[in-house]
Amino acid sequence: MSAQTRTTPRAGTTDRRALLDRIRKDFVGLDTEYALADGLRKRRRYLDSAATTLVMQVTLDCARAFLRHCANTHSTTHFSAAIAGEAYAWAHDRVLRFLGAPPRDYAAVFTGSGATAALNRVAEVLAAAQPDRPMALVSLMEHHANDLPHRRHASVLHVPLTACDDGPGPVDLDALEAMLRENAGRVRYVAVTAASNVTGLLNPLAPIARLAHAHGARVVVDGAQIAAHRAVSLADDDIDAFVFSGHKAYAPGSPGVLVIKRELLDGVPPGLVGGGIVEHVSTEGYELTPHLPDREEAGTPNVVGAVLLASALEVLAEIGMDSIAEAEDALVEYALDRLATVPGLRIYGTRTAPRSGVVAFNLSGVEHAVTAQALNDAHNIAVRNGCFCAHPYVRHLLLPELWALDADGDEDLEAQVMRRRGMVRASFGLYSTPADVDALVDALVDIGADEGSYRRRLEATSDERGAPLPQRRAQFSAPEYLGWRLREK
């Protein structure tokens, strides 16, 4: 692998579709089975990709190939160390090319705890770069990772959403412009998700960036839910900082990523200090390296994870992000149409705006926890429920129906309201199929028709907090698994 930009011939449309069809069947865990409540074993249908995607077998093979040369970076003395350094540099370069971020203008930095670490660093960097601008405008759609770090370093105002006939839409551009005008000279940056992790609704990044820059503010984009789903060009949209998580881009175990304009890091001290970021150290002091991303990546890097992520991006680029988006759009439209046939089901977020592969819903009269647990226990369909680390947004989406449940001192009703403060989310990846959607719809119809029995079963197999009892949990023991593999060998 070379750190230099490579000119790989792009496959034709037919070849890309064939590659997509082949790759979508080549993920680890698609054949995983669990024993259900009735004792029968059934293959899992994984509809929780917005939380973490499955890993591509081909990229896992690439990471394993690299492990034959495993070594630390920061040296070229022996062969393996030189290969590790080259592979790590290739991973940075692959990220920049994938996101349309020219290396002369942008730096790619690998971070520890996914997008959260990257967004904390962005908030810190921009606070140091523009201390005379105390405010940040944050959309109401944000995951906590793109909200709470800004509250620590700035005074935050939340940008409202467009009001559509069938529910809230993306960021309200008119409201954003009004807020920028009202706080002229005080807004440090606008923070916005590219695609909501709750509804999948897409925000118009280029218009948002133009508005922010017209008022001297920067733009921070949480791209965790879009990087592996849609083509992104940071240079074309003039995005100042973009973050995403490798574990949401078919590379679980890989680091988070911050791609940021180099000028924003000029003169800003590194977030962490230690080995790898210095030119010289003495007892009197130390001299930081001027080179990026080295100055932002203290310590031993996760080279294997970076190679895994870069390999996944290589595969996505080879398939073509337009082809991936086209396939996902068709699946989402199919899912929305099929889910609309389920009696009493409500889908959140307008259908008049584009969305990525995320759909949030509730069954009328059924708590989200009951629905999600029933999908798992009886049908082996893995979805997520709750507020998805986006409490203000979920509250905004649920407010119309929860408003009618004013407890007014009634403890039983208050408990009912608490149980309904959440929703169920199905989210798709490259491996998701119309058959998965059909299975979800059939299961939801079944749950809605016999909600009482599902509730009683859940209560009988859960503790007082609703957590599953040990006998209902799927079991995995690392020592047992390793012992079995060793004996097999």
Side-chain angles (χ1 to χ4, degrees), residues 407-418:
D408 194 23
D410 186 326
E411 292 184 5
D412 290 339
L413 189 54
E414 176 64 25
Q416 183 182 6
V417 172
M418 288 297 295

PDB file of all heavy atoms in Angstrom, residues 407-418:
ATOM      1  N   ALA A 407     -49.680  13.917  32.895  1.00  0.00           N
ATOM      2  CA  ALA A 407     -49.897  13.087  34.078  1.00  0.00           C
ATOM      3  C   ALA A 407     -50.656  13.841  35.163  1.00  0.00           C
ATOM      4  O   ALA A 407     -51.494  13.266  35.855  1.00  0.00           O
ATOM      5  CB  ALA A 407     -48.557  12.593  34.625  1.00  0.00           C
ATOM      6  N   ASP A 408     -50.342  15.107  35.368  1.00  0.00           N
ATOM      7  CA  ASP A 408     -51.034  15.950  36.352  1.00  0.00           C
ATOM      8  C   ASP A 408     -51.124  15.272  37.719  1.00  0.00           C
ATOM      9  O   ASP A 408     -52.189  15.185  38.334  1.00  0.00           O
ATOM     10  CB  ASP A 408     -52.432  16.298  35.835  1.00  0.00           C
ATOM     11  CG  ASP A 408     -53.056  17.454  36.649  1.00  0.00           C
ATOM     12  OD1 ASP A 408     -52.277  18.229  37.255  1.00  0.00           O
ATOM     13  OD2 ASP A 408     -54.299  17.545  36.689  1.00  0.00           O
ATOM     14  N   GLY A 409     -49.992  14.745  38.191  1.00  0.00           N
ATOM     15  CA  GLY A 409     -49.939  14.142  39.522  1.00  0.00           C
ATOM     16  C   GLY A 409     -50.341  12.685  39.580  1.00  0.00           C
ATOM     17  O   GLY A 409     -50.221  12.043  40.625  1.00  0.00           O
ATOM     18  N   ASP A 410     -50.817  12.114  38.488  1.00  0.00           N
ATOM     19  CA  ASP A 410     -51.213  10.710  38.458  1.00  0.00           C
ATOM     20  C   ASP A 410     -49.954   9.862  38.264  1.00  0.00           C
ATOM     21  O   ASP A 410     -49.357   9.853  37.194  1.00  0.00           O
ATOM     22  CB  ASP A 410     -52.193  10.480  37.307  1.00  0.00           C
ATOM     23  CG  ASP A 410     -52.758   9.059  37.299  1.00  0.00           C
ATOM     24  OD1 ASP A 410     -52.030   8.126  37.682  1.00  0.00           O
ATOM     25  OD2 ASP A 410     -53.921   8.903  36.893  1.00  0.00           O
ATOM     26  N   GLU A 411     -49.545   9.110  39.305  1.00  0.00           N
ATOM     27  CA  GLU A 411     -48.292   8.364  39.237  1.00  0.00           C
ATOM     28  C   GLU A 411     -48.331   7.282  38.165  1.00  0.00           C
ATOM     29  O   GLU A 411     -47.342   7.030  37.487  1.00  0.00           O
ATOM     30  CB  GLU A 411     -47.978   7.751  40.600  1.00  0.00           C
ATOM     31  CG  GLU A 411     -47.626   8.785  41.664  1.00  0.00           C
ATOM     32  CD  GLU A 411     -47.217   8.141  42.973  1.00  0.00           C
ATOM     33  OE1 GLU A 411     -47.121   6.901  43.013  1.00  0.00           O
ATOM     34  OE2 GLU A 411     -46.987   8.884  43.951  1.00  0.00           O
ATOM     35  N   ASP A 412     -49.460   6.611  38.019  1.00  0.00           N
ATOM     36  CA  ASP A 412     -49.570   5.568  36.994  1.00  0.00           C
ATOM     37  C   ASP A 412     -49.429   6.156  35.596  1.00  0.00           C
ATOM     38  O   ASP A 412     -48.751   5.593  34.734  1.00  0.00           O
ATOM     39  CB  ASP A 412     -50.905   4.847  37.115  1.00  0.00           C
ATOM     40  CG  ASP A 412     -50.975   3.983  38.370  1.00  0.00           C
ATOM     41  OD1 ASP A 412     -49.907   3.637  38.906  1.00  0.00           O
ATOM     42  OD2 ASP A 412     -52.105   3.666  38.805  1.00  0.00           O
ATOM     43  N   LEU A 413     -50.068   7.299  35.366  1.00  0.00           N
ATOM     44  CA  LEU A 413     -49.982   7.932  34.068  1.00  0.00           C
ATOM     45  C   LEU A 413     -48.579   8.477  33.823  1.00  0.00           C
ATOM     46  O   LEU A 413     -48.059   8.421  32.708  1.00  0.00           O
ATOM     47  CB  LEU A 413     -51.015   9.052  33.942  1.00  0.00           C
ATOM     48  CG  LEU A 413     -51.184   9.674  32.542  1.00  0.00           C
ATOM     49  CD1 LEU A 413     -51.466   8.597  31.504  1.00  0.00           C
ATOM     50  CD2 LEU A 413     -52.303  10.707  32.558  1.00  0.00           C
ATOM     51  N   GLU A 414     -47.943   8.996  34.882  1.00  0.00           N
ATOM     52  CA  GLU A 414     -46.571   9.477  34.750  1.00  0.00           C
ATOM     53  C   GLU A 414     -45.637   8.339  34.340  1.00  0.00           C
ATOM     54  O   GLU A 414     -44.762   8.515  33.490  1.00  0.00           O
ATOM     55  CB  GLU A 414     -46.097  10.093  36.067  1.00  0.00           C
ATOM     56  CG  GLU A 414     -44.641  10.548  36.073  1.00  0.00           C
ATOM     57  CD  GLU A 414     -44.363  11.661  35.089  1.00  0.00           C
ATOM     58  OE1 GLU A 414     -45.288  12.412  34.745  1.00  0.00           O
ATOM     59  OE2 GLU A 414     -43.196  11.766  34.652  1.00  0.00           O
ATOM     60  N   ALA A 415     -45.833   7.172  34.934  1.00  0.00           N
ATOM     61  CA  ALA A 415     -45.024   6.012  34.563  1.00  0.00           C
ATOM     62  C   ALA A 415     -45.281   5.625  33.109  1.00  0.00           C
ATOM     63  O   ALA A 415     -44.358   5.254  32.373  1.00  0.00           O
ATOM     64  CB  ALA A 415     -45.341   4.832  35.482  1.00  0.00           C
ATOM     65  N   GLN A 416     -46.513   5.743  32.669  1.00  0.00           N
ATOM     66  CA  GLN A 416     -46.851   5.441  31.278  1.00  0.00           C
ATOM     67  C   GLN A 416     -46.157   6.416  30.333  1.00  0.00           C
ATOM     68  O   GLN A 416     -45.625   6.020  29.294  1.00  0.00           O
ATOM     69  CB  GLN A 416     -48.366   5.508  31.083  1.00  0.00           C
ATOM     70  CG  GLN A 416     -48.832   5.129  29.684  1.00  0.00           C
ATOM     71  CD  GLN A 416     -50.338   5.250  29.515  1.00  0.00           C
ATOM     72  OE1 GLN A 416     -51.023   5.727  30.411  1.00  0.00           O
ATOM     73  NE2 GLN A 416     -50.841   4.839  28.374  1.00  0.00           N
ATOM     74  N   VAL A 417     -46.165   7.684  30.706  1.00  0.00           N
ATOM     75  CA  VAL A 417     -45.479   8.685  29.885  1.00  0.00           C
ATOM     76  C   VAL A 417     -43.996   8.369  29.782  1.00  0.00           C
ATOM     77  O   VAL A 417     -43.402   8.428  28.707  1.00  0.00           O
ATOM     78  CB  VAL A 417     -45.702  10.102  30.461  1.00  0.00           C
ATOM     79  CG1 VAL A 417     -44.835  11.116  29.734  1.00  0.00           C
ATOM     80  CG2 VAL A 417     -47.174  10.494  30.364  1.00  0.00           C
ATOM     81  N   MET A 418     -43.378   8.018  30.926  1.00  0.00           N
ATOM     82  CA  MET A 418     -41.945   7.705  30.933  1.00  0.00           C
ATOM     83  C   MET A 418     -41.649   6.527  30.012  1.00  0.00           C
ATOM     84  O   MET A 418     -40.658   6.535  29.292  1.00  0.00           O
ATOM     85  CB  MET A 418     -41.489   7.388  32.362  1.00  0.00           C
ATOM     86  CG  MET A 418     -41.418   8.591  33.283  1.00  0.00           C
ATOM     87  SD  MET A 418     -40.191   9.815  32.725  1.00  0.00           S
ATOM     88  CE  MET A 418     -38.685   8.860  32.928  1.00  0.00           C
TER      89      MET A 418
END
